[in-house]
């Protein structure tokens, strides 16, 4: 979201300033009106960014709570719960980061294309379209990746489950193939 906010803060004031001043409004009054609109838009985008960031953080926390709850319900030991929690949180943060990168890049690319076709207005308009497209692509792609990471194989284990098991076995000095952990030799 930081790249998106910075791009918007850079491009939107130019679009607002490019508005034509009506003849019945003096230059000083017009400049004050434009300055106020730029401040309002900046506040809006910063607020939206904070809300979206918090939503992502809440999602990561909920993944962690779900992980701990499911492990407690299954009677898992606390060391295993902590390992599982760490893996689940890293997967969630990784997916969230990937989504942010996709949205930011899409927004920047669309804004760049808009700049070449119709400077200022095209930049802002295409950037907005890019943000929407990037968000949709992120949701679909992250959903697909998440489904693959958590899809169970024939043994009833997902990729994430296998990572958790590997780390647990490594921490206990024994790998799943029966060999001992190099760290404990």
């Amino acid at each position: 979201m930081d790249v998106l906010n910075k791009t918007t803060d850079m491009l939107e004031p130019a679009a607002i300033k490019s508005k034509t001043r009506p003849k019945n409004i003096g230059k000083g009054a017009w400049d004050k009106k434009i300055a106020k609109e730029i401040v309002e838009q900046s506040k809006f985008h910063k607020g939206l960014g904070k809300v979206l960031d918090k939503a992502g953080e809440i999602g990561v926390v909920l993944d962690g709570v779900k992980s701990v709850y499911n492990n407690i319900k299954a009677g898992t030991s606390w060391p295993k719960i902590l390992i599982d929690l760490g893996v689940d949180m890293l997967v969630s943060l990784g997916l969230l980061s990937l989504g942010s990168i996709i949205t930011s890049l899409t927004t920047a690319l669309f804004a760049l294309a808009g700049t070449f076709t119709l400077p200022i207005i095209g930049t802002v308009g295409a950037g907005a379209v890019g943000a929407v497209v990037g968000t949709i692509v992120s949701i679909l792609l992250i959903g697909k990746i998440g489904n693959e990471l958590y899809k169970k194989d024939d043994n009833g284990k997902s990729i994430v489950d296998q990572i958790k098991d590997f780390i647990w076995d490594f921490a206990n000095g024994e790998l799943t193939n029966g060999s001992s952990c190099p760290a404990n030799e």
Side-chain angles (χ1 to χ4, degrees):
M1 291 308 304
D2 193 41
V3 172
L4 181 59
N5 286 337
K6 286 182 182 182
T7 304
T8 304
D9 284 347
M10 182 178 69
L11 300 175
E12 198 163 290
I16 292 171
K17 288 177 184 177
S18 71
K19 291 180 179 180
T20 305
R21 178 176 56 90
K23 293 180 184 193
N24 63 339
I25 297 178
K27 182 163 175 21
W30 179 252
D31 289 345
K32 285 180 185 176
K33 181 179 190 276
I34 292 297
K36 182 179 176 186
E37 189 174 337
I38 290 171
V39 168
E40 288 172 0
Q41 287 299 318
S42 180
K43 284 181 186 177
F44 170 77
H45 289 291
K46 284 185 175 100
L48 179 62
K50 287 179 182 177
V51 168
L52 293 175
D53 285 344
K54 289 297 175 198
E57 292 169 7
I58 289 169
V60 170
V61 169
L62 289 176
D63 279 348
V65 170
K66 178 183 166 196
S67 174
V68 171
Y69 173 77
N70 288 338
N71 277 319
I72 289 173
K73 196 167 87 174
T76 307
S77 69
W78 278 105
K80 176 79 167 118
I81 289 172
L82 294 176
I83 287 173
D84 288 2
L85 173 64
V87 171
D88 286 331
M89 297 293 274
L90 285 174
V91 168
S92 293
L93 288 170
L95 292 173
L96 182 65
S97 297
L98 180 60
S100 295
I101 290 168
I102 290 169
T103 302
S104 296
L105 287 175
T106 307
T107 302
L109 290 173
F110 272 68
L112 183 62
T115 300
F116 288 122
T117 57
L118 185 61
I120 301 172
I121 294 170
T123 304
V124 174
V129 170
V132 171
V133 169
T135 301
I136 292 169
V137 168
S138 292
I139 290 169
L140 295 175
L141 185 62
I142 300 309
K144 177 82 172 142
I145 292 171
N147 286 341
E148 290 299 316
L149 287 173
Y150 286 97
K151 184 169 60 174
K152 305 287 184 186
D153 63 9
D154 294 337
N155 297 326
K157 296 279 187 175
S158 68
I159 293 171
V160 173
D161 292 336
Q162 292 174 27
I163 293 169
K164 291 174 184 177
D165 289 346
F166 177 82
I167 294 172
W168 176 249
D169 290 343
F170 189 84
N172 285 308
E174 198 171 303
L175 299 176
T176 55
N177 65 3
S179 64
S180 64
C181 174
N184 292 329
E185 291 182 351

